[in-house]
Amino acid sequence: ILISPISIRFAFNKSNPDTLQLINIIDSYIVQFKIDENSIYYQLIDEYIREPIKIVPRFLKNLLIFLLILSVFFAAIGILSNRQVKKKTAQLRKRDRELRKSENKFRTIFENLQDVYFDTTLSGIFKTISPSAEWVLGYPIDELNNHSVEKIYYNIDDRKELINLLLEKSKVRDFELLCKKKNNDVYWVSLNADLYLDDDGTACGITGILRDITRRKITEKKLIKREERFREMARLLPCGIVEIDIDLNITYANQTGLDMFGYTKKELENGLNAKNIIHPDELHTVFQNIKTRLKGENTSPVEYRIRKKDGSIITVLWNSKPITSKGKIYGFRGSLVDLTEIKQLQKQILRTQKLESTGMLAGGIAHDFNNILLGVFGNINLAKSELSSDDKAYRLIEEAEKSMSIA
């Protein structure tokens, strides 16, 4: 900005976002000076052109002009500063409201936790603990805060193990341990904990969550017993129990099934596919039955020939049900009954039946033949009675009678 006979220059930082607004404010004051004909702007121009009699010394006028412009500058800065203060104040108030809202939200969560939040020193003193500790841990809050954590441990060695894991890994997840309540009731908890450090990087405390998992442990124990019972039943069954996936990989087989195939449990774990066991001539039928099952249709028990590890062929009866999840078939579970001995017995029975039938037929023929011979015997005896023993015909008839007796 040039005002003769003196010059005043302003320098601004281009990167400052307020620079443009500050320039506009100074320009607005200059415009007002130009609009007002009696302003000091026109007075100075008149003085510069006409050089009137100087009542006031020029340096004083210049000083006044400088002070005027300086006042405009500071006024503009004041306006901008006031706006910035208001803006910052509004931001701080908004942030304060958000912090209060967040604090209330987390306080509500803290006070209504079903699990137990805790914060302890490394030596094991409770600094903070959520209200849920009263019914989960079985102690009043005032008996826990600023007290040792050792009172809730059933086995204090579990805490030593926990501390060692935290010092090694800085955090633990789903660490299971036994605890005891004030009334000495024992219960299981699962613990998630993190080690936190002070400003010097030294471990100084532990924060985490405790969850009562007693019911889960009881359920797991029941499930393990149930699984053991069913595994024992499957092991003792006289038939093979087998599970296969859609690609015919055998995923499970009881001992009877393994014995039937001639393979070991280790060979099953290494991978065993039913395609290598089923007789090649039966594979087409197997695939057709699988397609039928995938369409949702049932199939009756089917006889298959399978090839054992030693190459021998046996006949089995396969009866299965699909293994499903969310309506999708992932495989089949079924039973195998070895029909080889039954098939052999059937052949023996059939052979015996044929022999019996032949014997019965022969007996019938003999019976009928005997009936015919009976008539012949009768006539021979009548003929003998009509002849004397000296008669030549008598001897011939007697020979005929002997032959008939042999027949």
Side-chain angles (χ1 to χ4, degrees), residues 8 25 44 52 92 106 133 140 155 249 297 300 308 310 322 358 400:
I8 298 177
I25 292 172
L44 290 172
L92 289 173
F106 286 107
N155 184 358
N249 294 307
E297 302 175 12
S300 57
K308 299 178 68 171
D310 61 8
T358 304

Side-chain angles (χ1 to χ4, degrees), residues 325-384:
S325 178
K326 297 180 181 179
K328 185 178 179 180
I329 296 176
Y330 288 92
F332 298 93
R333 180 185 297 114
S335 62
L336 285 172
V337 178
D338 189 347
L339 300 179
T340 307
E341 292 184 2
I342 297 176
K343 290 289 185 181
Q344 292 174 352
L345 288 172
Q346 286 177 344
K347 289 180 180 179
Q348 291 177 3
I349 292 170
L350 184 60
R351 189 181 301 112
T352 303
Q353 287 175 344
K354 287 181 179 179
L355 291 173
E356 288 178 353
S357 299
T358 304
M360 289 177 65
L361 178 62
I365 294 172
H367 180 72
D368 294 339
F369 188 65
N370 284 336
N371 290 337
I372 297 170
L373 291 178
L374 184 62
V376 176
F377 267 117
N379 289 319
I380 288 174
N381 286 329
L382 288 173
K384 283 175 67 177

Side-chain angles (χ1 to χ4, degrees), residues 81-106:
S81 298
N82 186 44
R83 290 181 180 178
Q84 290 294 325
V85 169
K86 288 182 178 179
K87 183 178 179 181
K88 290 290 184 183
T89 302
Q91 291 176 348
L92 289 173
R93 286 176 179 173
K94 181 180 179 181
R95 187 174 298 175
D96 183 62
R97 287 195 301 271
E98 291 175 350
L99 287 173
R100 289 179 184 275
K101 184 178 178 181
S102 178
E103 181 184 358
N104 291 334
K105 180 177 71 175
F106 286 107

Side-chain angles (χ1 to χ4, degrees), residues 49 62 130-131 163 178 185 219 226 231 239-240 259 286 294 403:
I49 295 173
N62 292 339
S130 62
I163 296 299
L178 274 172
D185 285 348
T219 303
R226 185 179 299 176
R231 284 187 179 276
C239 63
D259 294 340
V286 171
L294 293 176
S403 298

Side-chain angles (χ1 to χ4, degrees), residues 2 11 36-37 42 62 100 144 181 199 228 234-235 247 255 293 309 337 359:
L2 300 178
D36 186 3
E37 294 181 354
Y42 288 105
N62 292 339
R100 289 179 184 275
L144 293 172
K181 295 186 178 182
D199 295 337
E228 289 175 351
R235 187 181 67 83
D247 297 322
Q255 190 59 48
R293 281 300 181 89
K309 184 180 179 181
V337 178

